[in-house]
Amino acid sequence: MRFLPFLPFLLQVQIGVAIVPFYPWFSPLWQYEESLYIGPYFNTAKLNRTDAGSAIAAEWVRVAYHDMANADVEAGIGGIDMSIAFELDRPENPGQGLKDALNDFRTIYTPTLNMADSIALGVVFGLVAAGGPLIPFRGGRIEARSAGPLGVPQPQESLESHTDAFRRQGLSTTEMIQLVACGHSLGGVRNPDFADMVPEDGTHKFFDSTQATFDNNVVTGYLDSTTENPLVVAQNATFRSDLRIFNSDGNKTMEALANADAFASTCATVMEKMINTVPGGVTLTEPIEPAQFTVARMLITALVANQTQISVTTRWLNPSSNNKVTIFWTDKLHPDNCTREICSATAKTVSEQPVEPASSAPTILATINPYRFHKFVFNISSTVVPDKFWFEVEDSAVGDEPFIGNNGGQGFTRLDNFDVFLDSVKTLEAATNDSLVFVVAVRKSNRPSKISIDYVDISADAAPEFNPKIDTNDFSPDPSIVPTFEYEFWTAPVPFLFSTYTLTVVRDGQRIVLDKDQLITDRVNIL
Ligand code: HEM
């Protein structure tokens, strides 16, 4: 499977006097930005999973710490790299919570937003969703392929062993106290995992009374001795690791965290340090900022009357009330016929945030960064070969001249000028069958020799357990679907449980790879 080249640097555009980041269409940076601020990959409905007892955010934060905790920063070994997926049978990693968290990330896997980056993003989303601070997200983590060394601290260990472990992780004693207090703001201790501390079958003892809210009650309850945190008040003193850690500097650090604002900003700093701890040789991107202007969801449909329908959505940050967007395109075969008047369309529908279901983390991020979406739906003749799209945004924030959204000068192109596109997906009405049929439209005048789909199979038997697996199927012409004037239709089966896919088109010995974002369809045909 081939993906577009990685661009670790930050590109910029000027809006009025402000310089804002720009992420090229379909680049990994563009995918990170979409994941962070809109969330089509990182399905945040998972934050509302109800089978956990603890807040989902607690599971996401704990899995990140357990992934990072065996790091040896000086030796450049370990960090956030998903090695935890290979370490779940160790006594230092007990609990269904770690597995459930990894399962959440596995089902949204893409090669860019891989398991290691998802573990880090889970902390960003988890904290915000629990009312905590927004920490910057950098992408670029690399997945481990095997287990790392032992090294996750356990409650029965001594203070000295904890201090050593945190030093190995690159954290001072003060940072150890801060990170433990911040982490233990969420969730608690579970009976099946630590029956010595929580003896009643199937129960939890939370670290504080607000286990789903990221606040400093865990600190204030400890300081005024009202806490029921099992790691402070466990009957068996051996398990009181939080107590030993919290008072290891005479409570100086805990007293500073008693101020709610100081707690939020300190936690943002140490949690960011935690998720940015990566193995030597891994370079993270700059923090992913909200883009000023971006384009998503280009849907293409072959209509019977020799027309192709295009639907595409743009997103504009901090819109003024007079904000208006127009789309333009070129026609590769008949450029002279394609004037500004003929080859342009205005937005059909306009929507403001929030676009995601209530209470999901991207909604919160989007509230901080208000967007306006413009959706275009228009038809062009199927004989047109559109090789470039661009947008003009009129908005008083950018002055009298419109902002030209042309993807850094390249235009928004599809690599194959609409010669192959995903037209629809066939499925059974009840989602009980085990495969879908992908239908691609193929321009008859430019038939490829081969079309295949690589998809990430996330069915439960992937091995190792949380490691997504990539499978390939070939398309073949399907005479049961009536061709249009320009297009015929090819089909290939894909199992229900996939997270992402790319299409490879081979023509004249050349391979063109289109990824999922260039291959979206809203059309689902019932078989
Ligand atoms: C000496 C260090 C630490 C020890 C001994 C320790 C110990 C524990 C224990 C025993 C549990 C209960 C787990 C279960 O019942 O399944 C727990 C839960 C948790 N820990 Fe820690 N922890 C430490 C550091 C941290 C750090 C640094 C973080 C994050 C920054 C963290 C985040 C969490 C979270 C969020 C939970 C709740 C999980 C849930 O409710 O599902 N811990 N910890």
Side-chain angles (χ1 to χ4, degrees), residues 52-66 68-69 93-98 123 152-158 161-163 165-166 169 171 175-176 178-194 197-198 203-207 211 230-231 239 241-242 244-245 270-271 274:
S54 286
I56 306 303
E59 294 188 349
W60 290 2
V61 170
R62 180 169 177 249
V63 81
Y65 179 61
H66 281 237
M68 174 274 202
N93 291 321
Q96 188 59 31
L98 296 175
V123 174
V152 182
Q154 300 183 66
Q156 68 278 15
E157 291 167 4
S158 67
S161 119
H162 287 151
T163 314
F166 278 80
Q169 297 157 15
L171 297 160
E175 288 170 321
M176 167 179 75
Q178 291 167 338
L179 194 60
V180 174
C182 296
H184 290 173
S185 167
L186 297 169
V189 182
R190 301 162 185 231
N191 155 264
D193 306 336
F194 292 92
M197 277 183 277
V198 185
T203 56
H204 269 58
K205 269 195 189 155
F206 296 123
F207 294 124
Q211 68 93 12
L231 295 174
F239 292 103
S241 55
D242 277 8
R244 291 188 289 274
I245 288 171
V270 286
M271 289 276 184
M274 174 177 84

Side-chain angles (χ1 to χ4, degrees), residues 465-522:
E465 199 174 359
F466 296 103
N467 203 14
K469 152 168 159 266
I470 296 167
D471 287 329
T472 305
N473 283 345
D474 287 343
F475 281 84
S476 51
D478 189 336
S480 75
I481 308 174
V482 182
T484 70
F485 180 68
E486 281 285 325
Y487 293 104
E488 63 189 18
F489 297 91
W490 297 25
T491 55
V494 174
F496 254 122
L497 286 174
F498 65 89
S499 68
T500 191
Y501 48 86
T502 58
L503 221 62
T504 302
V505 179
V506 183
R507 190 186 291 113
D508 304 328
Q510 260 195 318
R511 290 172 84 244
I512 296 169
V513 180
L514 299 169
D515 82 13
K516 181 177 168 218
D517 300 306
Q518 293 163 295
L519 294 166
I520 290 173
T521 181
D522 269 353

Side-chain angles (χ1 to χ4, degrees), residues 7 55 107 136 146 171 184 220 226 303 341 345 392 408 416 431 442 506:
L7 295 163
T107 53
S146 57
L171 297 160
H184 290 173
T220 52
T226 56
L303 303 178
E341 288 68 36
E392 294 186 7
D416 72 335
V442 175
V506 183

Side-chain angles (χ1 to χ4, degrees), residues 302-488:
L303 303 178
V304 273
N306 196 25
Q307 296 278 304
T308 306
Q309 186 181 80
I310 298 169
S311 150
V312 62
T313 302
T314 62
R315 170 160 54 95
W316 177 260
L317 184 63
N318 293 320
S320 306
S321 54
N322 64 349
N323 169 281
K324 182 185 160 209
V325 186
T326 310
I327 184 170
F328 296 88
W329 60 92
T330 52
D331 180 352
K332 192 177 171 189
L333 301 183
H334 319 97
D336 295 343
N337 295 349
C338 202
T339 59
R340 273 177 74 84
E341 288 68 36
I342 293 171
C343 291
S344 65
T346 45
K348 190 166 173 148
T349 55
V350 176
S351 68
E352 309 277 346
Q353 283 289 3
V355 290
E356 289 273 314
S359 86
S360 70
T363 309
I364 302 162
L365 297 190
T367 313
I368 303 167
N369 305 291
Y371 296 114
R372 184 169 297 157
F373 291 83
H374 287 86
K375 183 172 181 186
F376 299 82
V377 182
F378 55 95
N379 294 349
I380 57 173
S381 162
S382 299
T383 55
V384 170
V385 177
D387 61 345
K388 204 170 268 191
F389 290 92
W390 74 97
F391 298 83
E392 294 186 7
V393 184
E394 294 163 52
D395 189 300
S396 50
V398 293
D400 293 341
E401 290 296 311
F403 168 87
I404 312 288
N406 60 5
N407 199 27
Q410 306 162 47
F412 295 91
T413 56
R414 273 186 38 115
L415 302 174
D416 72 335
N417 299 312
F418 291 15
D419 286 342
V420 174
F421 55 84
L422 179 62
D423 185 72
S424 59
V425 171
K426 291 194 204 175
T427 178
L428 278 187
E429 193 167 6
T432 48
N433 64 338
D434 59 3
S435 92
L436 303 166
V437 175
F438 274 41
V439 182
V440 296
V442 175
R443 198 189 287 276
K444 288 187 244 174
S445 56
N446 203 7
R447 267 191 200 98
S449 54
K450 183 177 157 119
I451 309 173
S452 58
I453 184 163
D454 292 314
Y455 55 91
V456 178
D457 183 351
I458 53 167
S459 58
D461 57 0
E465 199 174 359
F466 296 103
N467 203 14
K469 152 168 159 266
I470 296 167
D471 287 329
T472 305
N473 283 345
D474 287 343
F475 281 84
S476 51
D478 189 336
S480 75
I481 308 174
V482 182
T484 70
F485 180 68
E486 281 285 325
Y487 293 104
E488 63 189 18

